[in-house]
Amino acid sequence: MAAWTSLAAAMLGTTALPVMAGTPAAASYDERPAKLEQPTAYRDYERRSVDIPMRDGVKLHTVILVPKGAPMPKGGAAMLLTRTPYNAEEMTSQHASGRMAISLDGYDSAPEVVAEGGYIRVVQDVRGKYGSEGTYVMNRPFVGTSLNPTKVDHATDTYDTIEWLVHHVPESNGRVGILGISYDGFTALAALVNPHPALKVAVPMNPMVDGWRGDDWFHNGAFRQYNLSYIWEQVGTRDNSNKYEVTEADAYTHFMRYGSAGAAASAHGLDQIGFWQKLKAHPAWDSFWQEQAMDKILAKAPLTVPTLLVHSLWDQEDIYGAPAVWKALKPQDKAGNLFLTMGPWFHGQEIERADTLGAVRWDADTGKWWRAHVLAPFLAHYLYDKPMDVGTVTAFQSGTNRWQTLPGWPTAPATAKLFLHADETLGFDPSAKEGTVDYVSDPAKPVTYEPRPNKLVGYEENPWPTWLTDDQRPVSGRPDVLTFTGPVLDKPVTIAGTPIVHLTAATSGTDSDWVVKLIDVYPDEVPGDRAMGGYQLAVGMDIFRGRYRESLSVAKPITPGTPLEFTFDLPPANHVFRAGHRIMVQVQSSWFPLYDRNPQTFVPSIIDAKSADYVKATQKISVGGTNGSYIALPVVP
């Protein structure tokens, strides 16, 4: 030791000094304080982290941000609550700033609305996630269903949370609003089941509603295998610390390597995950899905809390949910509590800058306009009794790129038939010539949902958020994609509602997927926007798994070679096909790697299909005459 001390002293050019009495031992030597105190005097808010007890004793971690330094509204400030599985601490400290609006500048918050409105912001971790105690169950089913043997759910937890808040936040005026996006939109809807009397307003944005019909997990029976990574990370650990690891830069290569979604899941450890086992066990729309579909649950009782549903017209994750809740609840909404916004956004873009969506320009920041003219006055009306001029439906009309205030939705029934013709044209009159247009679907060479390389889901430097507005020209020339194109329009065609596919088709296989796209084809040249020349913008597109043609809850094989009708909805659209544009319809049988491949052989479980099950199939689309295929469009006269 003495030699080392002398050597160190020599290297430093100093005389070795003896160790003085009172110097900390090496094992306890640490320059950090025992507890770091964050200076807060410069903040324009006070931050409180509390653990709120629920009725069963489980404590849920909750962050409360109370504005300070500005006059408190008379009678106190209203509280805006979000319940999330995405880390309340992080969501309330997005950036290192002493300003509340900057700290909230991230997921779910619409920070300028929160800060300028003088709200107390409350964000809570749901059971089993991050700082909260208890167990985690994906979209925890409600008490009273066969899927939940306990006495707690998101509705009871929300009720207990609000009860605590109104008694323990003295700056509050006793009124609470709830808002959230995606999963947090689902928890906002859950708050409407037996709501607390202090809950005065709800804004579910892009909510998860029915995971089988058209939100995160399936679309009409086709499995969204891209969500394997989400399931692994979200359910596997309390803090999402274990990541779904891949060795391929291209998701196409990744999923083709394993063959089926089940094989990919097993190789990546998902067989340990309870929710994955439930997905595998319930590939059809059976009672498991129906009992937890939020539109069905909410339709059982009158809506008593004023609610603004927010839908993104190009929502790449939850495009089914908000319109489904609107459709289920509005007919019985005698009190006028239900409102709807439909914006030209991807999933959650309403709280971001939203003047573009991929290559498409909207001529203005549509998110900023909506927050200022709809969200802010809506919340202030019900939480502070301020006047409000918000229509029942606020809808962005793409094509003309303008906001509309409408008395209801849809504004037109889907009665105008757009027929597919034998020469691969389109028309609102059926062609006299009957026949089929054929293609061969090969699972070994599936049609991609966007050009390769395909990245897994992500929001940083990833095309995932905007893929629904991708140019469809890259697949238009494929021999396994049928492209039907209408004439150049001499006058606009306006649609406002849900297009309905009526596809009459036969397959040589015993199962098949059908993907149908309704497309706006831009003129070959667009003045002032050369990138849009000839662009093929999908106005609505979706997939249907053929085995559910007769019943969504029971899979049945398709009779080979027999023309059958497959009917399904495309997502709602509020669009004008302008004069000089053309309408296009594309039909294909795969949408990979977003959805798992249909083997085109009927097997009990496509998720666990074997390599021998995947076969080529000849697909014949019936056109012309009374049995020809068409899309029923909600054309506005």
Side-chain angles (χ1 to χ4, degrees):
M1 180 66 180
W4 166 249
T5 304
S6 300
L7 176 61
M11 294 176 65
L12 294 171
T14 61
T15 302
L17 298 175
V19 176
M20 303 298 293
T23 302
S28 62
Y29 187 59
D30 194 342
E31 294 183 340
R32 295 171 298 182
K35 182 179 180 181
L36 182 67
E37 298 291 339
Q38 177 74 44
T40 60
Y42 48 78
R43 286 181 176 173
D44 66 1
Y45 64 96
E46 179 185 343
R47 181 187 185 91
R48 304 168 189 166
S49 291
V50 298
D51 295 319
I52 299 177
M54 300 293 104
R55 62 190 63 186
D56 63 345
V58 168
K59 295 180 179 179
L60 302 187
H61 187 66
T62 309
V63 180
I64 304 170
L65 305 185
V66 181
K68 66 179 184 180
M72 185 69 65
K74 185 177 180 180
M79 293 182 280
L80 283 179
L81 169 65
T82 294
R83 304 189 64 255
T84 182
Y86 300 131
N87 194 347
E89 289 287 343
E90 182 176 307
M91 286 173 59
T92 52
S93 56
Q94 290 286 325
H95 304 282
S97 174
R99 294 182 58 203
M100 182 171 167
I102 302 301
S103 295
L104 293 172
D105 188 14
Y107 193 74
D108 265 340
S109 276
E112 76 273 34
V113 175
V114 174
E116 294 173 11
Y119 296 104
I120 298 169
R121 187 72 172 108
V122 183
V123 183
Q124 180 182 75
D125 291 325
V126 301
R127 286 174 177 262
K129 293 301 295 184
Y130 293 92
S132 286
E133 299 174 349
T135 59
Y136 180 71
V137 177
M138 181 73 72
N139 299 105
R140 182 183 292 268
F142 287 86
V143 172
T145 67
S146 64
L147 306 174
N148 186 346
T150 75
K151 295 182 179 181
V152 294
D153 55 28
H154 286 294
T156 66
D157 284 350
T158 307
Y159 192 103
D160 295 349
T161 298
I162 295 175
E163 178 70 11
W164 189 95
L165 290 171
V166 296
H167 288 97
H168 292 84
V169 182
E171 299 87 351
S172 163
N173 67 359
R175 298 187 187 186
V176 179
I178 190 166
L179 75 166
I181 298 169
S182 194
Y183 200 118
D184 304 351
F186 158 72
T187 58
L189 287 175
L192 303 175
V193 178
N194 302 317
H196 192 283
L199 183 64
K200 302 301 182 183
V201 68
V203 184
M205 297 182 273
N206 312 110
M208 302 167 74
V209 169
D210 189 323
W212 193 93
R213 293 296 302 272
D215 287 331
D216 291 87
W217 316 121
F218 294 85
H219 271 228
N220 297 312
F223 176 60
R224 276 201 162 195
Q225 59 186 3
Y226 254 39
N227 281 324
L228 291 180
S229 59
Y230 177 87
I231 295 168
W232 170 259
E233 294 173 10
Q234 183 67 19
V235 186
T237 58
R238 183 177 295 271
D239 60 354
N240 290 41
S241 56
N242 282 41
K243 303 304 179 183
Y244 183 89
E245 297 179 352
V246 296
T247 58
E248 308 90 353
D250 185 0
Y252 181 103
T253 302
H254 173 72
F255 285 107
M256 286 296 286
R257 176 165 294 165
Y258 293 102
S260 69
S266 294
H268 286 78
L270 269 85
D271 290 338
Q272 308 167 71
I273 306 294
F275 181 64
W276 170 242
Q277 296 296 343
K278 293 175 183 177
L279 284 180
K280 288 183 63 176
H282 301 279
W285 194 56
D286 57 15
S287 60
F288 173 80
W289 298 108
Q290 295 179 38
E291 282 191 40
Q292 55 185 310
M294 286 305 303
D295 54 334
K296 290 182 173 293
I297 291 168
L298 292 171
K300 294 178 181 178
L303 181 67
T304 59
V305 178
T307 299
L308 173 61
L309 296 166
V310 182
H311 174 64
S312 295
L313 289 162
W314 282 273
D315 188 324
Q316 79 282 7
E317 294 179 20
D318 293 306
I319 203 165
Y320 178 84
V325 173
W326 170 267
K327 183 179 179 181
L329 301 191
K330 193 57 184 177
Q332 59 188 28
D333 178 34
K334 308 304 180 185
N337 283 324
L338 191 61
F339 297 77
L340 174 67
T341 285
M342 307 180 75
W345 307 312
F346 59 70
H347 187 73
Q349 194 185 10
E350 58 268 28
I351 64 166
E352 302 180 14
R353 180 173 176 171
D355 53 345
T356 63
L357 185 57
V360 185
R361 302 176 183 177
W362 303 126
D363 305 326
D365 187 339
T366 61
K368 184 177 182 179
W369 183 94
W370 175 76
R371 294 192 299 274
H373 293 88
V374 180
L375 179 61
F378 188 81
L379 291 173
H381 179 68
Y382 292 106
L383 295 173
Y384 289 132
D385 296 322
K386 294 185 178 181
M388 176 184 78
D389 184 19
V390 174
T392 302
V393 176
T394 305
F396 188 85
Q397 186 182 68
S398 51
T400 60
N401 295 355
R402 64 190 182 99
W403 285 101
Q404 297 174 301
T405 300
L406 304 172
W409 181 265
T411 60
T415 55
K417 296 181 179 181
L418 182 66
F419 292 94
L420 281 55
H421 293 168
D423 58 356
E424 295 192 40
T425 61
L426 293 171
F428 286 102
D429 295 313
S431 62
K433 181 181 179 182
E434 296 185 36
T436 63
V437 184
D438 309 345
Y439 64 96
V440 174
S441 171
D442 185 357
K445 300 175 181 178
V447 182
T448 58
Y449 80 102
E450 65 176 3
R452 295 176 65 183
N454 303 137
K455 293 186 178 181
L456 287 172
V457 175
Y459 281 79
E460 299 298 327
E461 299 180 358
N462 192 319
W464 168 252
T466 60
W467 72 267
L468 279 174
T469 57
D470 280 355
D471 193 344
Q472 295 303 305
R473 280 178 292 188
V475 301
S476 290
R478 286 185 58 132
D480 52 357
V481 177
L482 296 180
T483 300
F484 300 85
T485 309
V488 174
L489 297 172
D490 57 6
K491 60 182 180 181
V493 174
T494 300
I495 61 173
T498 300
I500 303 174
V501 173
H502 295 265
L503 187 73
T504 302
T507 177
S508 62
T510 51
D511 200 359
S512 179
D513 286 351
W514 305 105
V515 179
V516 176
K517 310 172 187 175
L518 177 65
I519 297 169
D520 184 343
V521 182
Y522 281 63
D524 291 338
E525 292 185 308
V526 177
D529 195 356
R530 297 189 63 180
M532 295 302 292
Y535 201 92
Q536 295 179 7
L537 171 66
V539 175
M541 49 185 177
D542 217 335
I543 187 170
F544 184 87
R545 185 140 282 176
R547 59 175 49 204
Y548 300 113
R549 184 187 75 86
E550 295 183 24
S551 170
L552 300 181
S553 59
V554 179
K556 294 182 179 180
I558 297 173
T559 303
T562 302
L564 301 169
E565 184 172 348
F566 300 87
T567 303
F568 59 98
D569 293 350
L570 297 183
N574 191 41
H575 184 75
V576 176
F577 298 90
R578 300 178 63 180
H581 290 225
R582 291 180 292 170
I583 302 176
M584 175 182 287
V585 172
Q586 289 182 357
V587 181
Q588 59 199 56
S589 291
S590 53
W591 224 7
F592 189 80
L594 176 58
Y595 295 97
D596 63 340
R597 296 172 300 153
N598 192 314
Q600 301 177 157
T601 300
F602 185 85
V603 293
S605 172
I606 289 179
I607 286 177
D608 289 324
K610 308 304 180 185
S611 58
D613 299 326
Y614 293 90
V615 298
K616 293 182 181 180
T618 300
Q619 317 287 61
K620 296 179 178 291
I621 309 301
S622 298
V623 294
T626 57
N627 296 319
S629 302
Y630 65 92
I631 296 181
L633 295 181
V635 173
V636 178

